[in-house]
Amino acid sequence: MRIRRAHTFRAVTWSVTATALASALSLGPVHATDLPCPQSKSRQKSADSCPTPSAGKPAAKKPAAKKPAAKKQAPRKPRPKKQVARKPRPKKQAAMKPGGGRPAGCPPCQSAPRKPATKKPGAKKPSTQRPPAQKLPAQKPPTQKPPTQKPPAKKPPAKKKQLKRGHGWSWQGLYIDAADLRKVNVFLARAKKAERTISPQMRSIARKTKATMVGFNERKRSPESVKRSVARDMQNNPTETVDDALDKIYNSVRYILQWPDASYVKGVKDSTKMLAKWKNANLRWSNTWARPRGYKGINTAWRANDSGHPYELQFHTPKSQAAQKRSSKLYEEAHHPRTTGSRRAQLQNQMNRNYASVPCPAGAQLLSAPRRRAMERPGVTTL
């Protein structure tokens, strides 16, 4: 019986402790507020019926006292206070909006980038202010691009060159049509090719006769000068063709050999013998040393044996060559189509004065052309 009583006593105590723990856990906040609850009666009855276990119950109530402390922090509601603190910030933005009427001028553009610096803590607000900062750089490049695209549109000179090639050549009243211009260009191309074989012969003559070559870099006449002479000849002789005018041009390739007065005659004779030996045919011989006025020197024209192209060879002394340089510009102006007769006479008198001081080497006026020989080439026959 004692054992049964002990077991029953233990069972009662365990049931009371269980009910006490359950009530403490579920009715913790009720004790904080000190409100009457019907469950309190059961607690009192259990305490009256079992005074012994109630003495050990306070130790079990300690965890319940700690939990309400954690729950007492919950009634602190800082969140609604934070929301109240956030509300004045949108009010400041509303105050800034009335100033947004400034975008008409430049100051709003400067105020827009400053706002994101003050509103960095907010993640939503700077996103609304970023697009205006991106629009400004997008508008600057188009202002710089147009100047780079304008220059290539200016190309009038290219059209002028095409007109000259397709519709002939013209210069200060002189004109050559397209068909005749093609023939002139072929003549110039042939002269350029022939110069490669003529120049070595002239250098060997100068070396063997101890002559100096003057103006060797200017041995090829300019294409514009050849076109002017052809157009001028056709204008002065309307019945003349382009082929006739080109046959008269001997100086498309030209050379100048110079000796002192004492060795001038011997140098001219030795050079002509060498040219005849190489089968170069003499086309023209003009000795002006016997003239009382005007140009002084010997101008000759030859046809190359290898290419069959004509070239000019001049024989001068140092003084006659100096007089020629002084009179070159006067000669060009005198033969200009727009030069008047009175001006041409003045230029001729000035050239005569330049050559009047040039002495004639002994025996130079007696020099004559070598004997001509027949030269047969395909399509070319010269006597």
Side-chain angles (χ1 to χ4, degrees), residues 129-303:
Q129 295 176 354
R130 286 178 186 175
Q134 294 177 356
K135 290 180 180 179
L136 294 172
Q139 293 177 355
K140 290 180 180 178
T143 56
Q144 297 177 356
K145 288 181 181 178
T148 56
Q149 295 178 356
K150 288 181 180 178
K154 297 179 180 179
K155 294 181 180 179
K159 294 181 180 179
K160 292 182 180 179
K161 291 181 181 179
Q162 292 177 0
L163 291 173
K164 285 184 179 179
R165 292 178 182 176
H167 302 281
W169 175 88
S170 62
W171 179 79
Q172 294 184 359
L174 300 175
Y175 179 77
I176 301 175
D177 60 5
D180 295 341
L181 184 61
R182 294 191 194 96
K183 295 182 179 180
V184 175
N185 292 332
V186 171
F187 177 82
L188 293 171
R190 188 166 61 247
K192 184 178 181 180
K193 185 177 180 180
E195 181 272 331
R196 300 172 185 173
T197 58
I198 299 170
S199 295
Q201 294 181 358
M202 295 297 107
R203 286 178 177 175
S204 63
I205 291 172
R207 184 175 63 257
K208 292 179 181 180
T209 60
K210 297 181 181 180
T212 58
M213 297 189 70
V214 181
F216 182 75
N217 295 332
E218 299 175 357
R219 60 190 178 278
K220 290 185 289 185
R221 190 175 176 184
S222 64
E224 294 297 322
S225 178
V226 174
K227 293 174 185 177
R228 286 196 296 268
S229 62
V230 171
R232 190 182 296 111
D233 195 2
M234 293 176 65
Q235 187 178 16
N236 295 334
N237 302 316
T239 58
E240 195 175 66
T241 61
V242 183
D243 296 332
D244 298 336
L246 291 173
D247 291 339
K248 296 179 182 180
I249 296 176
Y250 299 140
N251 59 354
S252 60
V253 182
R254 53 196 178 184
Y255 305 90
I256 299 173
L257 296 178
Q258 178 180 305
W259 296 273
D261 293 353
S263 59
Y264 178 78
V265 175
K266 185 179 183 299
V268 173
K269 289 180 179 181
D270 293 343
S271 61
T272 54
K273 287 179 182 179
M274 293 177 68
L275 290 172
K277 184 179 179 180
W278 292 334
K279 296 181 180 181
N280 290 329
N282 180 252
L283 302 177
R284 189 184 65 178
W285 186 275
S286 176
N287 188 346
T288 59
W289 285 110
R291 287 183 183 178
R293 296 179 181 178
Y295 180 81
K296 299 291 180 67
I298 298 175
N299 290 1
T300 63
W302 305 78
R303 189 181 296 278

